[in-house]
Amino acid sequence: MYSYLRYIIIILCSLSFAGLEITGVPSHIKKNIEQRINYKIRPKYLTYNEQLLDQLTRETIEAIKPYGYFNPSVSISSDIESPSNIIINISLNQLTHLKHIHLEYTTPPTSDLNDSLQQVVSSYDFSAFSTENINDIIDAVKFSAYQAGYYDILISRGSTVVNKATNSASLTIMVTPNDMNRFGEIILPKGASPKCFKRYHNIASGDK
């Protein structure tokens, strides 16, 4: 009985995987896959079986999505010479692009603000649908709003629709303009010349 149990333990230990090799992707994507798998699965304590393969595939695909690849091909195998090492072979396939970016306002914007923001988002049409690009779009919208005098504007990512058949995506950005910031009463120090002020500062009360 003792020898039988020992045999089972040896087999299970040989199936546990200790090494992970990822091929077919750039180093920054590879690093993200490794970090996600190590966090989600903790490979050193698991056994190589169909359930593990399915989970590895799911986590690999999720780790790739932030870079704009929604149709990757993933195959997983073990090293012939060292079965405890897992090899994940990846083909990223086509990059998903932003087909349409929709601005949804919680309160009606001025036509000037809307035109300005629409111009910003349209410059990202057909760019990669990646987390980095989405963050860049939101930052660019904020900056454009600040330039227009809307310092209290609130911007967040709304809904997203990904069409895997066409490798395209539609993104909604939620915008709450709030009030435009304007200069209030301009008070000059005692003895200061209003003419001198106007010569060097082209602002007046009510300006944005």
Side-chain angles (χ1 to χ4, degrees):
M1 182 66 179
Y2 172 79
S3 61
Y4 174 76
L5 289 174
R6 184 182 180 188
Y7 177 76
I8 293 295
I9 291 171
I10 292 173
I11 293 296
L12 288 177
C13 289
S14 69
L15 289 176
S16 298
F17 71 97
L20 187 64
E21 180 182 349
I22 300 171
T23 64
V25 295
S27 58
H28 63 288
I29 297 181
K30 177 182 176 181
K31 182 178 180 181
N32 198 51
I33 296 171
E34 290 172 340
Q35 289 177 339
R36 185 178 179 95
I37 287 176
N38 287 327
Y39 176 74
K40 290 280 189 175
I41 303 180
R42 301 180 184 274
K44 293 182 180 179
Y45 304 100
L46 296 178
T47 301
Y48 186 92
N49 54 32
E50 288 298 322
Q51 183 179 359
L52 177 61
L53 293 181
D54 289 342
Q55 190 173 3
L56 280 171
T57 301
R58 288 196 306 271
E59 301 302 342
T60 298
I61 291 173
E62 288 301 315
I64 293 172
K65 284 182 179 180
Y67 302 95
Y69 296 95
F70 285 77
N71 279 317
S73 300
V74 179
S75 62
I76 302 175
S77 59
S78 61
D79 191 330
I80 296 176
E81 297 182 356
S82 181
S84 63
N85 293 330
I86 299 297
I87 303 171
I88 302 179
N89 297 293
I90 304 168
S91 177
L92 292 176
N93 299 324
Q94 290 189 29
L95 181 66
T96 299
H97 292 85
L98 282 164
K99 183 179 180 181
H100 179 67
I101 304 172
H102 172 65
L103 295 174
E104 185 172 322
Y105 295 93
T106 57
T107 56
T110 63
S111 58
D112 288 344
L113 176 63
N114 182 58
D115 291 345
S116 176
L117 300 189
Q118 290 291 351
Q119 186 175 358
V120 170
V121 298
S122 64
S123 67
Y124 286 88
D125 286 346
F126 303 106
S127 62
F129 179 57
S130 63
T131 300
E132 182 179 2
N133 261 358
I134 293 172
N135 290 336
D136 286 346
I137 293 168
I138 291 175
D139 287 343
V141 169
K142 286 181 180 178
F143 182 72
S144 181
Y146 292 165
Q147 287 185 315
Y150 291 87
Y151 297 103
D152 296 324
I153 194 168
L154 299 177
I155 300 171
S156 61
R157 177 177 173 176
S159 61
T160 301
V161 178
V162 177
N163 188 330
K164 292 185 178 181
T166 61
N167 292 299
S168 62
S170 297
L171 170 69
T172 297
I173 295 177
M174 306 298 298
V175 181
T176 302
N178 291 318
D179 293 331
M180 179 187 292
N181 294 74
R182 297 181 181 276
F183 284 101
E185 182 183 1
I186 298 175
I187 302 175
L188 301 178
K190 186 176 181 180
S193 170
K195 290 184 178 180
C196 182
F197 176 83
K198 289 182 179 180
R199 181 183 300 173
Y200 295 102
H201 305 280
N202 188 26
I203 57 173
S205 296
D207 288 350
K208 62 181 181 180

